[in-house]
């Protein structure tokens, strides 16, 4: 256990403690209110030497304890009594013992106090032989032991409070790390969805443009225009996502796409030979912004997979608003007669799309289904439970 030490010098509190001890237990002897033994000079010096170390007790507690014990030993051997009591018993030894117990570990403080008390009692025994006309007692242990117990209790209580504070700080740090990890995961998903969607459209459109460049230059120009528009839109959205990393903010800040933007997404996804039907069932409620963004990303990723892998002529998107669930479904009719040259377009995927969608839905405790349909094609269905708290958001 590390030792506590005050880097600052003595303060008025320590000086006041030393002055009060001297005024209460040595000054009455000097002015004759109570009896003492020894010359005034010896009483003055030894009384001052006992309390003076208390001024630096918090900085060097063990040294102060030994200094006070040393003065008591010296006064016993010299036969000087500078307090009203036998063996110069006073508060100095108690204050020094309390400080050691408060500032040092239990083992170190117990050993230090035991050594100081044994030395004082031994000197008292020697003083009894040197000055048989003077009384001596061995109350140092009775004074030091309670002071040590009190100081040890104070130290233990303080360490307990400190440990609680450290645990709270660690929990706060863990919570901050968890939030940052979730934010990084959210951003990575957004970047994956954005790049996957945009690059898939660019790949398909550029392939169409390449195949139609000579025979149908007008269609090729339209495909290139679509690539330009999609690229600019993706760059703007990517800048927004990266800005959130540089300047963290709430994930539901203005600008995040929601359920209402699915219609615009579908308009941008339609291309030659693909018909996307969009249907909305029920009336929307005040969904949380993060849930709306998640529903949008599910639709975006699923439609991107349709473009990349299905090579189908038709797809259907349905958003169903129910009292206790928001459902987003994306269904395609399966492979159609391929456009000439589609087999030359790379449709490889990373396999992360379905995993990312499943993880997004799981964050809301929803249901996620994805797989081939018996009648052909592929279906993606994401259901988000809506509770009373969500309705109020």
């Amino acid at each position: 256990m590390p030792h506590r030490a005050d880097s600052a010098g003595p303060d008025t509190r320590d000086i006041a403690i030393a002055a009060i001890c001297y005024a209460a237990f040595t000054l009455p002897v000097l002015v004759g209110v109570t009896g003492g033994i020894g010359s005034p000079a010896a009483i003055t010096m030894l009384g001052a030497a006992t309390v003076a170390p208390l001024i630096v007790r918090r900085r060097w507690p063990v040294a102060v304890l030994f200094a006070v014990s040393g003065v008591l030993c010296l006064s016993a051997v010299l036969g000087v009594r500078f307090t009203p009591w036998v063996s110069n018993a006073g508060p100095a030894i108690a204050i020094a013992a309390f400080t050691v117990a408060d500032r040092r570990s239990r083992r170190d403080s117990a050993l230090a106090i035991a050594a100081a008390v044994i030395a004082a009692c031994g000197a008292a025994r020697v003083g009894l032989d040197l000055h048989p006309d003077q009384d001596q007692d061995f109350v140092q242990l009775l004074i030091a032991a309670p002071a040590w117990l009190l100081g040890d209790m104070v130290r233990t209580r303080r360490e307990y409070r400190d440990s609680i504070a450290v645990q709270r700080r660690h929990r706060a740090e863990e919570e901050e790390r968890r939030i940052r990890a979730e934010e990084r995961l959210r951003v990575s998903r957004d970047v994956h969805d954005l790049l996957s969607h945009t690059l898939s459209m660019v790949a398909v459109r550029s392939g169409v443009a390449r195949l139609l460049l000579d025979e149908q230059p007008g269609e090729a120009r339209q495909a290139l225009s679509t690539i330009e528009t999609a690229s600019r839109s993706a760059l703007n959205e990517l800048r927004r996502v990266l800005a959130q990393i540089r300047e963290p903010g709430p994930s539901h800040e203005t600008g995040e796409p929601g359920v209402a933007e699915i219609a615009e997404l579908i308009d941008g996804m339609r291309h030659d030979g693909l018909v996307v039907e969009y249907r909305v069932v029920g009336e929307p409620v005040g969904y949380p912004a993060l849930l709306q963004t998640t529903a949008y990303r599910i639709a975006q990723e699923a439609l991107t997979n349709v473009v990349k892998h299905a090579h189908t002529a038709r797809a259907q998107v349905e958003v169903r608003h129910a009292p206790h669930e928001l459902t987003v479904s994306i269904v395609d009719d399966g492979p159609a007669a391929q456009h000439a040259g589609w087999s030359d377009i790379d449709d490889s995927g990373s396999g992360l799309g379905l995993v990312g969608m499943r993880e997004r839905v799981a964050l809301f405790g929803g249901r996620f289904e994805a797989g081939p349909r018996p009648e052909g094609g592929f279906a993606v269905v994401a259901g988000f439970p809506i509770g009373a708290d969500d309705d109020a958001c």
Side-chain angles (χ1 to χ4, degrees), residues 25-56:
F25 298 97
T26 299
L27 190 59
V29 176
L30 290 174
V31 299
V33 176
T34 60
I37 299 175
S39 65
I43 292 174
T44 300
M45 289 188 296
L46 289 175
T50 303
V51 299
L54 299 179
I55 296 176
V56 292

Side-chain angles (χ1 to χ4, degrees), residues 112-233:
I113 292 174
V117 170
I118 290 173
C121 291
R125 183 65 184 84
V126 172
L128 188 61
D129 295 336
L130 294 177
H131 309 284
D133 57 324
Q134 298 182 14
D135 294 331
Q136 293 288 347
D137 57 29
F138 304 93
V139 298
Q140 291 85 351
L141 178 61
L142 299 179
I143 295 175
W148 176 80
L149 289 174
L150 181 60
D152 188 71
M153 290 173 56
V154 171
R155 177 188 55 78
T156 302
R157 182 177 178 81
R158 182 182 61 250
E159 290 177 353
Y160 174 75
R161 291 198 305 267
D162 293 344
S163 67
I164 294 298
V166 170
Q167 292 176 11
R168 289 176 178 171
R169 185 166 61 252
H170 287 169
R171 283 198 297 268
E173 293 172 354
E174 288 294 334
E175 179 69 11
E176 183 178 359
R177 282 194 289 267
R178 183 188 64 79
I179 292 174
R180 289 180 177 178
E182 291 179 353
E183 180 67 12
R184 286 194 297 269
L185 180 59
R186 185 187 68 83
V187 171
S188 68
R189 287 170 176 164
D190 286 347
V191 172
H192 170 268
D193 293 346
L194 173 63
L195 295 181
S196 177
H197 164 67
T198 304
L199 293 180
S200 297
M201 293 301 301
V202 168
V204 172
R205 287 292 192 165
S206 61
V208 172
R210 173 174 60 83
L211 296 173
L212 301 179
L213 184 60
D214 295 330
E215 300 178 359
Q216 303 180 39
E219 295 293 336
R221 281 194 296 270
Q222 182 180 355
L224 293 175
S225 176
T226 302
I227 291 174
E228 180 184 8
T229 302
S231 301
R232 292 183 183 277
S233 175

Side-chain angles (χ1 to χ4, degrees), residues 1 8 22 70 86 106 119 145 165 181 184 208 211 243 249 262 274 282 286 313 315 324 334 385:
M1 169 184 168
Y22 187 82
V86 178
R106 180 171 298 168
R184 286 194 297 269
V208 172
L211 296 173
I262 293 180
L274 176 65
H324 301 293

